[in-house]
Amino acid sequence: MGDHVNFSIDLAEPDRKRQNLSRRNFMAASAGLAGSLAAGPAAADSLADVPPREDGADLSGHSERSQFVKLARIPEAGPGKRNVDPADAINSKTPLDKLFGGITPSDLHYERSHSGAPDLDPAMHRLLVHGMVKKPLVFNVEDLKAMPSVSRVVFIECTGNGWENWKKADANLTVQNTHGLVSTNEWTGVPLKLIVDLVGKDAGSHWMLAEGGDAAGVARSIPLPDEILNEAFIAYGQNGEPLRPAHGFPMRLVMPGFEGNLNIKWLRRLKFGDQPWMTRWETARYTQLQANGKATQFQLRMDTNSVITTPSGTMAIKPGYQRINGLAWSGHGKIAKVEISTDGANSWKPAQLTQPALPKAQVRFQMDWVWDGKPTRIVSRSTDDQGNVQPDRKSFIAAMGSNALFHYNAQQTWSVDETGRVRNVLD
């Protein structure tokens, strides 16, 4: 496994060497950019062309986005059923191609709801913790806020992310269409292990039932290996504020690296036991149909993934300098490297990771590219610190078949034609 490329420099190096490396990195990265700027017309030759200063809006209780910034999720009702009436939608996808960095704004975090998003009264909401425990307890929101807390940046991803490309490729899809069911936030809450200690979980209990407070009553059986016991937490905070109703207000379960449907929203009950409960959500809903017709249950971890967000589907580019951007993530750990191919996966070059690359969080990657104007295909592949490599589509389908719907993490390819149009293709 090769080293990833970034802008960090060993602090033990002499100052002169550090300066030379910094200058070389800067000059290499900016050479293509300077050339592309010189080739294009200037937007304004002087400040005389810029509108004069003017008074701004009055201060207010909260800040709004600029009128010139248009950001929105896309509601869908399933694969191929896009831009539907919100009343008919089951998902709402994040505009990955219009965001910066690795953190998703709270109001643009993707949404998956089975019966809408209830806005629960936190004064009335309760969390029951019972089952194979010594002391069943009931907690309210204030109880949780009074406990020691953790804050962690992690991604949450719907198991259906990528389902648009299971069987065929619609050429007119954007990256929001193909990969908009993943988002990264900073979540704040109480470690599950602390709750486990308070109730005195029985040593023979290796499963936990987590149930939500929405009308659908989503409930999932969750195994309890050390990884989950040590990393899961009950969140009440999202990006520095209380959870939004669409994301589980007033409390939700956060399961770093695991299926989005395990991150139960509007959490109302945790029950400990010695076997899974086999709810309809893990028998009829979140099972994975294999090539042989049999179904796999409890395929819980989200795998290593990446996608180029710029340039991506339906965009148009011109010959010359391009800055390729994208996002990578893994439910196994942190991203160690991302490689990009600009010749249809015939050769690969290392991308730069925008630090910090955190475990089980999205990280942004970048690479300079000069397009020669000829038709080509661009694709990314990620590798995490556990050695898991994002598979190409051919290998993925050979292993998983094409009957499934969930956990699609094959490499995403974008074609570029002679006019610069970028389109979605399978390989």
Side-chain angles (χ1 to χ4, degrees), residues 136-157:
L137 292 173
V138 175
F139 301 95
N140 60 36
V141 181
E142 295 306 315
D143 291 332
L144 297 184
K145 291 180 179 178
M147 297 179 188
S149 66
V150 295
S151 289
R152 184 169 175 184
V153 175
V154 296
F155 76 85
I156 296 179
E157 182 178 17

Side-chain angles (χ1 to χ4, degrees), residues 145-357:
K145 291 180 179 178
M147 297 179 188
S149 66
V150 295
S151 289
R152 184 169 175 184
V153 175
V154 296
F155 76 85
I156 296 179
E157 182 178 17
C158 178
T159 58
N161 202 28
W163 60 10
E164 295 278 8
N165 281 343
W166 262 109
K167 299 180 184 296
K168 60 182 180 179
D170 182 336
N172 296 314
L173 296 186
T174 67
V175 70
Q176 185 173 9
N177 298 139
T178 62
H179 287 77
L181 292 178
V182 60
S183 302
T184 294
N185 277 185
E186 181 189 63
W187 307 94
T188 299
V190 177
L192 176 63
K193 194 169 185 179
L194 177 57
I195 301 298
V196 166
D197 290 342
L198 288 174
V199 298
K201 182 181 76 68
D202 189 286
S205 172
H206 302 296
W207 287 85
M208 176 178 72
L209 179 73
E211 180 183 72
D214 58 331
V218 177
R220 288 301 313 267
S221 300
I222 300 171
L224 294 175
D226 287 344
E227 178 184 5
I228 290 177
L229 282 172
N230 291 332
E231 294 192 20
F233 56 100
I234 301 169
Y236 49 79
Q238 176 183 12
N239 288 342
E241 65 175 338
L243 298 172
R244 299 288 179 97
H247 305 299
F249 181 83
M251 63 179 74
R252 75 174 300 167
L253 185 64
V254 174
M255 297 273 297
F258 290 89
E259 290 182 338
N261 62 80
L262 297 182
N263 294 254
I264 299 294
K265 296 185 286 188
W266 316 291
L267 186 66
R268 69 191 294 267
R269 186 160 70 104
L270 295 175
K271 184 176 182 180
F272 295 95
D274 57 5
Q275 57 187 323
W277 280 260
M278 295 300 179
T279 71
R280 66 182 292 259
W281 305 100
E282 56 224 24
T283 54
R285 300 301 294 269
Y286 290 108
T287 57
Q288 186 81 315
L289 191 61
Q290 302 298 309
N292 60 8
K294 294 184 178 180
T296 298
Q297 290 178 292
F298 302 113
Q299 184 183 350
L300 305 181
R301 191 186 299 276
M302 302 309 295
D303 285 310
T304 308
N305 213 332
S306 73
V307 64
I308 293 172
T309 57
T310 306
S312 59
T314 75
M315 294 182 181
I317 62 174
K318 295 180 179 180
Y321 175 81
Q322 311 291 329
R323 186 67 170 173
I324 296 177
N325 263 280
L327 290 164
W329 62 98
S330 174
H332 298 273
K334 70 178 181 178
I335 294 297
K337 70 175 180 179
V338 175
E339 299 163 288
I340 296 174
S341 174
T342 57
D343 59 6
N346 289 312
S347 63
W348 298 86
K349 295 180 180 179
Q352 300 157 349
L353 300 184
T354 301
Q355 300 297 335

Side-chain angles (χ1 to χ4, degrees), residues 1-5 336-339 383:
M1 185 170 66
D3 295 335
H4 64 270
V5 176
K337 70 175 180 179
V338 175
E339 299 163 288
T383 302

